[in-house]
Amino acid sequence: MLDGGQGRWRLDEEMVEALEIGSGILGTGGGGNPYIGKLRVRQALREGHVMEILPLQSVPDDARVVAMGGIGAPLVSHERIKEGREGLRCVRALEERLGIKVDAIACEEIGGQNSMEPLIAAAMAGLPVVDCDGMGRAFPEMQMTSYAIYGHRSTPSVMCDPHGNVVIFDHAISELWHERMARACVVAQGGASTLASAPMSGEFIKRFAIPHSYSKAISLGNAVLEARRAHHDPVEAICESEDGRVVFRGKITDLKRHLAGGFVRGEAIIKGFDAYDGDEASVHIQNEFLIFSRNGEVEVIVPDLIVILDADSGEAISTEMLRYGQRVAVLAIPCHPLLRSPEALEVVGPKGFGFDDLVFQPMSTGSEGGAA
């Protein structure tokens, strides 16, 4: 059992505003629309729920920590309203199945609305959320967490939908099989649900989680807000905060996007302007932005982050909010080192998405221009 100290800090509405912006950027187009998540978190706070963040290194080694997040297509999570207690039902069903009490909740992915779901469930359960996640961004599949990559078995797990259905995945022979079965189930449940995985020990999560995820997202959001208040370029503020660089500026001239197998898949075509006049870029989509190419040449590739922003406001544009004619800036941000190991690249590198002919090359850094 965790005590009430350990350096915990409480989330307030001002922090939630910054978290919406930061998680939208780190979502690389996916993770669900953070605006919807922000509204849900704000409502929970106004109802009197307390949301506490626990520093990663303060988690006791023997603590039972459950990772949680939404599963399904971001477009569905944007258009279909949640019931609200899906995450809490996941926690309680998992506790009943295993005969335990959960000590803390961890975030599966800090990107997008998935940064918000653990906060709501944890607040309702009276638990803290650990300042970490399993991706440092968003990925489309469940086996693509640092937790799974470095040895955690996610089953038994629980999936809950807005209708009240509770599904237990008792055992999967691999993390990939868990993803396949859960993906089939979420399609049957309407395309978007909430899933909680088997508990991790505090000792494990301190070694293999992406650290400081909530702190980072809030700090990133505050950097954007400060730039807007000071009439500075928010895009440049993001690059400075995350050691990123602008790789393209242009206007979306074509957009192919469809729902298949529980994913949003497609491609955005961008015609360059300003310094990129005469160039054409493309961004490949599978819930998130995976591959950035300029004039047919790949420049940035997963697991490094590809972010599409409104060129003027610096607001992140998620895959479901892309529109023809939008003026955008495309950013590249380096991923966490835990995602660049050989074992990680087998899962979250280009091979993990079926691009066997592509080899991951870490992006270059700098404010704007240049090839990776």
Side-chain angles (χ1 to χ4, degrees):
M1 177 68 67
L2 300 179
D3 63 42
Q6 302 165 308
R8 300 184 190 198
W9 46 276
R10 289 189 176 186
L11 206 68
D12 59 28
E13 289 196 31
E14 186 175 339
M15 293 177 186
V16 174
E17 293 293 332
L19 177 61
E20 177 199 3
I21 296 170
S23 67
I25 295 165
L26 296 174
T28 62
N33 191 296
Y35 176 73
I36 304 297
K38 179 191 74 171
L39 296 182
R40 295 177 60 224
V41 168
R42 190 168 65 187
Q43 180 65 27
L45 287 172
R46 292 178 180 180
E47 289 174 354
H49 291 290
V50 175
M51 298 181 180
E52 291 188 321
I53 307 297
L54 177 66
L56 179 60
Q57 292 307 314
S58 295
V59 180
D61 287 350
D62 61 351
R64 297 184 179 101
V65 183
V66 166
M68 174 183 297
I71 176 173
L75 183 61
V76 176
S77 67
H78 178 64
E79 293 184 345
R80 186 178 72 172
I81 297 174
K82 286 183 176 288
E83 181 270 337
R85 300 175 69 85
E86 294 91 336
L88 178 62
R89 288 200 298 274
C90 283
V91 172
R92 296 305 185 219
L94 197 57
E95 289 179 327
E96 182 179 354
R97 164 64 181 80
L98 297 174
I100 64 167
K101 284 295 183 182
V102 173
D103 295 312
I105 302 297
C107 184
E108 285 275 0
E109 62 179 3
I110 194 63
Q113 187 172 174
N114 266 339
S115 66
M116 310 287 185
E117 195 66 43
L119 297 170
I120 297 167
M124 290 182 173
L127 299 172
V129 175
V130 183
D131 193 5
C132 71
D133 82 306
M135 299 180 180
R137 46 163 297 155
F139 285 122
E141 300 185 23
M142 293 191 309
Q143 77 278 11
M144 295 175 174
T145 65
S146 59
Y147 313 137
I149 290 167
Y150 293 103
H152 177 60
R153 297 301 297 268
S154 298
T155 52
S157 65
V158 179
M159 182 187 294
C160 296
D161 69 9
H163 309 294
N165 295 309
V166 178
V167 176
I168 296 177
F169 297 92
D170 194 73
H171 175 69
I173 60 173
S174 70
E175 293 301 292
L176 183 57
W177 269 104
H178 185 212
E179 159 66 28
R180 289 171 177 168
M181 293 187 293
R183 191 66 52 179
C185 184
V186 78
V187 171
Q189 291 182 343
S193 298
T194 301
L195 187 138
S197 300
M200 297 173 282
S201 70
E203 188 273 336
F204 178 89
I205 199 171
K206 284 186 286 189
R207 294 175 61 196
F208 298 118
I210 309 296
H212 315 304
S213 301
Y214 281 96
S215 301
K216 177 179 181 177
I218 292 170
S219 177
L220 179 55
N222 280 328
V224 173
L225 290 170
E226 179 57 34
R228 291 174 182 171
R229 285 191 290 265
H231 304 290
H232 295 157
D233 182 5
V235 176
E236 185 61 31
I238 295 167
C239 290
E240 291 177 0
S241 176
E242 298 303 313
D243 198 22
R245 64 185 180 90
V246 177
V247 294
F248 206 74
R249 294 179 187 266
K251 177 181 176 180
I252 296 178
T253 57
D254 194 14
L255 183 61
K256 302 170 185 176
R257 185 176 50 199
H258 62 280
L259 189 63
F263 298 108
V264 172
R265 301 178 185 268
E267 185 179 36
I269 305 299
I270 309 170
K271 194 76 170 179
F273 57 56
D274 295 339
Y276 304 93
D277 188 32
D279 291 341
E280 184 176 89
S282 66
V283 179
H284 181 87
I285 300 167
Q286 184 184 327
N287 279 17
E288 285 77 40
F289 305 127
L290 300 182
I291 300 171
F292 168 79
S293 301
R294 180 180 358 198
N295 300 327
E297 296 292 326
V298 173
E299 290 191 5
V300 187
I301 191 165
V302 65
D304 283 339
L305 285 68
I306 299 163
V307 184
I308 297 182
L309 306 169
D310 180 276
D312 299 316
S313 70
E315 181 177 354
I317 304 174
S318 54
T319 55
E320 72 273 13
M321 300 303 289
L322 291 172
R323 299 289 185 269
Y324 175 85
Q326 286 172 325
R327 292 167 55 87
V328 301
V330 184
L331 269 61
I333 297 173
C335 67
H336 191 275
L338 279 173
L339 302 180
R340 290 184 172 183
S341 68
E343 58 264 52
L345 290 175
E346 286 294 315
V347 181
V348 298
K351 287 184 180 179
F353 296 91
F355 299 100
D356 295 337
D357 56 331
L358 297 180
V359 177
F360 172 73
Q361 295 291 334
M363 59 163 282
S364 62
T365 57
S367 60
E368 187 152 359

